[in-house]
Amino acid sequence: SPVRISFGGGGSDTTAYFSKYDGAVVNATISLYSYASLFKRNDLKISIDSLDLNKKITVDNFNSLNSLSEEFGLIKSVIKTIKPNFGFNLIIHSDFPRGSGLGGSSAVCASIIGCFNEFRIDKWNDYEIAEIAYESERLQLDVAGGWQDQYSTVFGGFNFMEFKANQNLIHPLRIKKQTLLELENNIILCYSNSTHKDDNIHRTQKSNTSSE
């Protein structure tokens, strides 16, 4: 699952905003990814190997997930949202650093959900996968933020996204290759070696929007 860069509209994708005013975002995914591999086990044990955290942990069953450390909070929230009825080995690694501000946590969520979806007979569609990722990160883990990260990593590509109180719509943009090459030639993405956390910004925005 890829991470994204946003070109405009960030903040209007939060529920607090678009439940009162329509929101819209333009973003594009880039060639940095979160990868996940899932292997079913013959028992109910759950083994999680995060190469990003450089840690591996195993619990006896689904009900033992609460014993996982806070560092595994995002992964735990995805598993608790999905509620799998089988044991498994999960391996995760990413091309990008944690806290890069590229929607990386949503990419991790989507890659894990995508693995579980491969074992389903009734497959989740892209909208459903994005919504499960949103529930895992925003509701289960209580990380403040909007919807664009989840939709962008699941749908991929260059998109115009509309957010409304009754529905969210993703519109892939048909951009000529020459235009994309020119855009790429005029963009430099630099790693500042510092953690980007916009949780407080989103909580302040939610408070300000709710008080209007």
Side-chain angles (χ1 to χ4, degrees), residues 148-183:
Q148 70 161 314
D149 293 355
Q150 292 80 15
Y151 282 119
S152 61
T153 190
V154 172
F155 282 83
F158 218 119
N159 293 294
F160 170 64
M161 303 180 178
E162 291 185 278
F163 302 96
K164 301 181 180 182
N166 60 345
Q167 66 176 341
N168 298 330
L169 296 173
I170 312 303
H171 307 281
L173 297 181
R174 297 177 179 177
I175 302 175
K176 293 181 179 179
K177 185 176 181 180
Q178 181 179 351
T179 304
L180 285 176
L181 290 173
E182 185 176 356
L183 178 62

Coordinates of all heavy atoms in Angstrom, one line a residue, residues 148-183:
Q148 N -8.7 11.3 3.9 CA -7.9 11.2 2.7 C -6.8 10.1 2.7 O -6.5 9.5 1.7 CB -7.4 12.5 2.3 CG -6.2 13.1 3.1 CD -5.4 14.1 2.4 OE1 -5.1 14.0 1.2 NE2 -5.2 15.2 3.1
D149 N -6.2 9.9 3.8 CA -5.0 9.0 3.9 C -5.5 7.6 3.6 O -4.8 6.8 2.8 CB -4.4 9.0 5.3 CG -3.7 10.3 5.6 OD1 -3.6 11.2 4.7 OD2 -3.3 10.5 6.7
Q150 N -6.6 7.2 4.2 CA -7.1 5.8 4.0 C -7.6 5.6 2.5 O -7.3 4.6 1.9 CB -8.3 5.5 4.9 CG -8.0 5.5 6.4 CD -7.8 6.8 7.0 OE1 -8.2 7.8 6.5 NE2 -7.2 6.9 8.2
Y151 N -8.3 6.6 1.9 CA -8.8 6.4 0.6 C -7.6 6.4 -0.4 O -7.6 5.7 -1.4 CB -9.8 7.5 0.2 CG -11.2 7.3 0.8 CD1 -11.7 8.2 1.7 CD2 -11.9 6.2 0.4 CE1 -13.0 8.0 2.2 CE2 -13.2 5.9 0.9 CZ -13.7 6.8 1.8 OH -15.0 6.6 2.3
S152 N -6.6 7.3 -0.2 CA -5.5 7.4 -1.1 C -4.7 6.2 -1.2 O -4.4 5.7 -2.3 CB -4.7 8.6 -0.8 OG -4.1 8.5 0.5
T153 N -4.4 5.6 -0.1 CA -3.5 4.4 -0.1 C -4.3 3.2 -0.7 O -3.7 2.3 -1.3 CB -3.0 4.0 1.3 OG1 -2.0 3.0 1.2 CG2 -4.1 3.6 2.3
V154 N -5.6 3.1 -0.5 CA -6.4 2.0 -1.0 C -6.6 2.1 -2.5 O -6.4 1.2 -3.3 CB -7.7 1.8 -0.3 CG1 -8.6 0.8 -1.0 CG2 -7.5 1.5 1.2
F155 N -7.0 3.3 -3.0 CA -7.3 3.5 -4.4 C -6.0 3.8 -5.2 O -6.0 3.4 -6.4 CB -8.3 4.7 -4.6 CG -9.7 4.4 -4.2 CD1 -10.1 4.4 -2.9 CD2 -10.6 4.1 -5.2 CE1 -11.4 4.1 -2.6 CE2 -11.9 3.7 -4.9 CZ -12.3 3.7 -3.6
G156 N -5.0 4.4 -4.7 CA -3.8 4.7 -5.4 C -4.0 5.7 -6.5 O -5.1 6.0 -6.9
G157 N -2.9 6.2 -7.0 CA -2.9 7.1 -8.2 C -3.2 8.5 -7.8 O -3.1 8.9 -6.7
F158 N -3.6 9.3 -8.8 CA -3.9 10.7 -8.7 C -5.4 10.9 -8.6 O -6.1 10.5 -9.5 CB -3.3 11.5 -9.9 CG -2.7 12.8 -9.6 CD1 -1.4 13.0 -9.9 CD2 -3.5 13.8 -9.0 CE1 -0.8 14.3 -9.6 CE2 -2.9 15.0 -8.8 CZ -1.6 15.3 -9.1
N159 N -5.9 11.4 -7.5 CA -7.3 11.5 -7.2 C -7.8 12.8 -6.8 O -7.1 13.6 -6.1 CB -7.7 10.4 -6.2 CG -7.5 9.0 -6.6 OD1 -8.2 8.5 -7.6 ND2 -6.6 8.3 -6.0
F160 N -9.1 13.1 -7.2 CA -9.9 14.2 -6.6 C -10.9 13.6 -5.7 O -11.7 12.7 -6.2 CB -10.5 15.1 -7.7 CG -11.5 16.0 -7.2 CD1 -11.2 17.1 -6.4 CD2 -12.9 15.9 -7.5 CE1 -12.1 18.0 -5.9 CE2 -13.8 16.8 -7.1 CZ -13.4 17.9 -6.3
M161 N -10.9 13.9 -4.5 CA -11.8 13.3 -3.5 C -12.8 14.3 -3.0 O -12.5 15.4 -2.6 CB -11.0 12.7 -2.3 CG -10.0 11.7 -2.7 SD -9.0 11.1 -1.3 CE -7.9 9.9 -2.1
E162 N -14.1 13.9 -3.0 CA -15.2 14.7 -2.4 C -15.7 14.1 -1.1 O -15.9 12.9 -1.1 CB -16.3 14.8 -3.4 CG -16.0 15.6 -4.7 CD -17.2 15.7 -5.5 OE1 -17.5 14.8 -6.3 OE2 -17.9 16.8 -5.5
F163 N -15.8 14.9 -0.1 CA -16.3 14.4 1.2 C -17.6 15.2 1.5 O -17.6 16.4 1.6 CB -15.3 14.7 2.3 CG -14.0 14.0 2.0 CD1 -12.9 14.7 1.3 CD2 -13.8 12.6 2.3 CE1 -11.7 14.0 1.1 CE2 -12.6 12.0 2.0 CZ -11.6 12.7 1.4
K164 N -18.7 14.4 1.8 CA -19.9 15.0 2.1 C -20.5 14.2 3.3 O -20.1 13.1 3.6 CB -20.9 14.9 0.9 CG -20.4 15.7 -0.3 CD -21.3 15.6 -1.5 CE -20.8 16.4 -2.7 NZ -21.7 16.4 -3.9
A165 N -21.6 14.8 3.9 CA -22.2 14.2 5.1 C -22.8 12.8 4.8 O -22.7 11.9 5.6 CB -23.3 15.1 5.6
N166 N -23.3 12.6 3.5 CA -23.9 11.4 3.2 C -23.1 10.4 2.4 O -23.5 9.2 2.3 CB -25.3 11.6 2.5 CG -25.1 12.4 1.2 OD1 -24.0 13.0 1.0 ND2 -26.1 12.4 0.4
Q167 N -22.0 10.9 1.8 CA -21.1 9.9 1.1 C -19.8 10.6 0.7 O -19.7 11.8 0.7 CB -21.8 9.5 -0.3 CG -22.0 10.7 -1.2 CD -22.6 10.2 -2.5 OE1 -22.6 9.1 -2.9 NE2 -23.2 11.2 -3.3
N168 N -18.8 9.7 0.5 CA -17.5 10.2 0.0 C -17.3 9.6 -1.3 O -17.5 8.4 -1.6 CB -16.4 9.7 1.0 CG -16.5 10.2 2.4 OD1 -17.1 11.3 2.6 ND2 -16.1 9.5 3.4
L169 N -16.7 10.4 -2.3 CA -16.5 9.9 -3.6 C -15.1 10.1 -4.1 O -14.5 11.2 -3.8 CB -17.5 10.7 -4.6 CG -19.0 10.5 -4.4 CD1 -19.8 11.5 -5.3 CD2 -19.4 9.1 -4.7
I170 N -14.5 9.1 -4.7 CA -13.2 9.2 -5.2 C -13.2 9.2 -6.7 O -13.7 8.3 -7.3 CB -12.4 7.9 -4.7 CG1 -12.6 7.7 -3.2 CG2 -10.9 8.1 -5.0 CD1 -12.2 8.9 -2.3
H171 N -12.6 10.3 -7.3 CA -12.5 10.4 -8.7 C -11.1 10.4 -9.2 O -10.3 11.3 -9.0 CB -13.1 11.8 -9.1 CG -14.5 12.1 -8.5 ND1 -15.6 11.6 -9.1 CD2 -14.9 12.8 -7.5 CE1 -16.7 12.0 -8.4 NE2 -16.2 12.8 -7.4
P172 N -10.7 9.3 -9.9 CA -9.4 9.2 -10.5 C -9.2 10.3 -11.5 O -10.1 10.5 -12.4 CB -9.3 7.8 -11.1 CG -10.4 7.0 -10.4 CD -11.5 8.0 -10.1
L173 N -8.1 11.0 -11.5 CA -7.9 12.0 -12.5 C -7.1 11.5 -13.7 O -6.1 10.8 -13.5 CB -7.1 13.2 -11.9 CG -7.8 13.9 -10.7 CD1 -6.9 15.0 -10.2 CD2 -9.1 14.4 -11.2
R174 N -7.6 11.7 -14.9 CA -6.9 11.3 -16.1 C -5.9 12.4 -16.5 O -6.3 13.4 -17.2 CB -7.9 11.0 -17.2 CG -8.9 9.9 -16.9 CD -9.9 9.7 -18.0 NE -10.8 8.6 -17.7 CZ -11.9 8.3 -18.4 NH1 -12.1 9.0 -19.5 NH2 -12.7 7.3 -18.1
I175 N -4.7 12.2 -16.2 CA -3.7 13.3 -16.4 C -2.7 12.7 -17.5 O -2.2 11.6 -17.4 CB -2.9 13.6 -15.1 CG1 -3.9 14.1 -14.1 CG2 -1.9 14.7 -15.4 CD1 -3.3 14.4 -12.8
K176 N -2.4 13.5 -18.5 CA -1.5 13.1 -19.5 C -0.1 12.8 -19.0 O 0.3 13.5 -18.0 CB -1.4 14.2 -20.6 CG -2.7 14.5 -21.4 CD -2.5 15.5 -22.4 CE -3.8 15.8 -23.2 NZ -3.6 16.8 -24.2
K177 N 0.5 11.8 -19.5 CA 1.8 11.4 -19.1 C 2.8 12.5 -19.1 O 3.6 12.7 -18.2 CB 2.3 10.2 -19.9 CG 3.6 9.7 -19.4 CD 4.1 8.4 -20.2 CE 5.4 7.8 -19.7 NZ 5.8 6.6 -20.4
Q178 N 2.7 13.4 -20.1 CA 3.7 14.5 -20.2 C 3.5 15.5 -19.1 O 4.4 16.0 -18.5 CB 3.4 15.2 -21.5 CG 4.4 16.4 -21.8 CD 4.1 17.1 -23.1 OE1 3.4 16.6 -23.9 NE2 4.7 18.3 -23.3
T179 N 2.2 15.7 -18.7 CA 1.9 16.6 -17.5 C 2.5 16.0 -16.2 O 3.0 16.7 -15.4 CB 0.4 16.8 -17.4 OG1 -0.1 17.3 -18.7 CG2 0.1 17.8 -16.3
L180 N 2.3 14.7 -16.0 CA 2.8 14.0 -14.8 C 4.3 14.1 -14.8 O 4.9 14.3 -13.7 CB 2.3 12.5 -14.8 CG 0.9 12.3 -14.5 CD1 0.6 10.8 -14.6 CD2 0.6 12.8 -13.1
L181 N 5.0 13.9 -15.9 CA 6.4 13.9 -15.9 C 6.9 15.4 -15.6 O 7.9 15.5 -14.9 CB 6.9 13.5 -17.3 CG 6.8 12.0 -17.6 CD1 7.2 11.8 -19.1 CD2 7.6 11.2 -16.7
E182 N 6.2 16.3 -16.1 CA 6.6 17.7 -15.8 C 6.4 18.0 -14.3 O 7.2 18.7 -13.7 CB 5.7 18.7 -16.7 CG 6.1 20.2 -16.5 CD 5.4 21.1 -17.4 OE1 4.6 20.6 -18.2 OE2 5.6 22.3 -17.3
L183 N 5.3 17.5 -13.8 CA 5.0 17.7 -12.3 C 6.1 17.1 -11.5 O 6.6 17.7 -10.6 CB 3.6 17.2 -12.0 CG 3.2 17.2 -10.5 CD1 3.1 18.7 -10.0 CD2 1.9 16.5 -10.3

